[in-house]
Amino acid sequence: MMIVGLTGGIGSGKSTVAKMFLDLGIPVYDSDKEAKDLMITSKEIKKAIIKLLGDGAYNSKGLNRVYIADKVFKDSDLLEKLNGIVHPAVREHFLEWAKSQESPYIIQETALIFENQVQDKYDCTILVTAPEDIRINRVVRRDGTNEQAIKDRIHNQLEDGQKKKLAHYVIENLNLDKTKEKVKELHLKLLATAPKF
């Protein structure tokens, strides 16, 4: 089975692209969603996060995302330590999930493939891009977050120009119909290169 990494910066639309692959019958593992679940359900992870960021990391609703984002996106050292707690657990969970899938290829949707230099863990990578101003507008509309907070997150990630040199495939996500066409095209290409059973 071929493992494809799907990545892109905040607001690029990688979740939209992931949904298009899902609609084509391809299993997609949403790393961001699974990471949040693990941060709530795993006692070990919860304990480590509280030790790193303090009791404010959790509230009565569970994960205090605003508090965590406020801490880590202004401090790259803290962000690295948090990733060091969460990413290995997500990787392990993904590999378990992958064993139960039956498809010529599967996709792991994850934000920091190139930042964490883990591209060699995938048979190929797809990068979703969009201009920064469009990405900011999308996230403001989606999350109601302020522009500066989004810019802080964007600047914690590699620039698209650098990522384009590392990715096998690039999807520029500006027009949904064109994006859908590109996904279909790529799907056929991946099916043709995936190992046959």
Side-chain angles (χ1 to χ4, degrees):
M1 183 192 292
M2 192 159 76
I3 297 177
V4 178
L6 174 67
T7 193
I10 184 170
S12 61
K14 69 179 179 304
S15 296
T16 301
V17 169
K19 169 93 173 61
M20 290 174 184
F21 277 104
L22 259 179
D23 291 343
L24 291 168
I26 297 302
V28 176
Y29 180 95
D30 181 342
S31 298
D32 196 37
K33 178 189 167 296
E34 298 298 344
K36 287 184 192 104
D37 286 352
L38 288 168
M39 286 162 88
I40 293 163
T41 57
S42 164
K43 284 181 183 146
E44 295 82 19
I45 291 175
K46 196 171 177 179
K47 201 170 152 186
I49 289 171
I50 290 170
K51 191 177 173 189
L52 178 69
L53 302 174
D55 290 332
Y58 292 85
N59 57 26
S60 57
K61 292 176 187 162
L63 203 59
N64 188 345
R65 291 177 65 186
V66 174
Y67 173 92
I68 292 171
D70 196 49
K71 285 237 178 208
V72 301
F73 292 117
K74 288 178 183 158
D75 184 335
S76 55
D77 189 42
L78 265 186
L79 180 61
E80 205 173 303
K81 285 176 180 165
L82 178 64
N83 288 340
I85 294 166
V86 180
H87 288 174
V90 172
R91 181 75 191 160
E92 207 176 296
H93 189 264
F94 165 71
L95 292 172
E96 274 306 306
W97 171 87
K99 285 178 194 169
S100 64
Q101 304 308 312
E102 290 175 14
S103 180
Y105 72 95
I106 57 172
I107 288 177
Q108 183 177 19
E109 178 196 343
T110 184
L112 303 170
I113 290 177
F114 303 118
E115 287 81 353
N116 293 334
Q117 298 177 342
V118 291
Q119 57 267 35
D120 56 349
K121 287 191 160 93
Y122 301 94
D123 295 298
C124 72
T125 52
I126 301 167
L127 171 68
V128 183
T129 66
E132 190 171 307
D133 56 333
I134 289 174
R135 290 166 59 191
I136 291 167
N137 287 337
R138 283 175 182 166
V139 182
V140 167
R141 278 204 315 271
R142 185 186 73 196
D143 299 345
T145 321
N146 71 63
E147 269 191 43
Q148 193 49 53
I150 301 159
K151 283 179 180 170
D152 288 345
R153 287 183 71 173
I154 286 173
H155 298 141
N156 262 311
Q157 298 177 343
L158 277 182
E159 288 177 7
D160 279 350
Q162 292 171 277
K163 291 195 267 196
K164 280 177 183 175
K165 292 175 191 164
L166 299 166
H168 292 89
Y169 304 105
V170 178
I171 296 175
E172 191 173 30
N173 179 33
L174 292 173
N175 172 296
L176 275 183
D177 290 332
K178 282 185 181 167
T179 300
K180 204 173 273 188
E181 277 310 304
K182 182 77 179 167
V183 166
K184 278 184 193 163
E185 218 175 274
L186 210 41
H187 172 62
L188 294 174
K189 201 176 275 190
L190 291 168
L191 285 178
T193 54
K196 305 289 180 281
F197 296 100

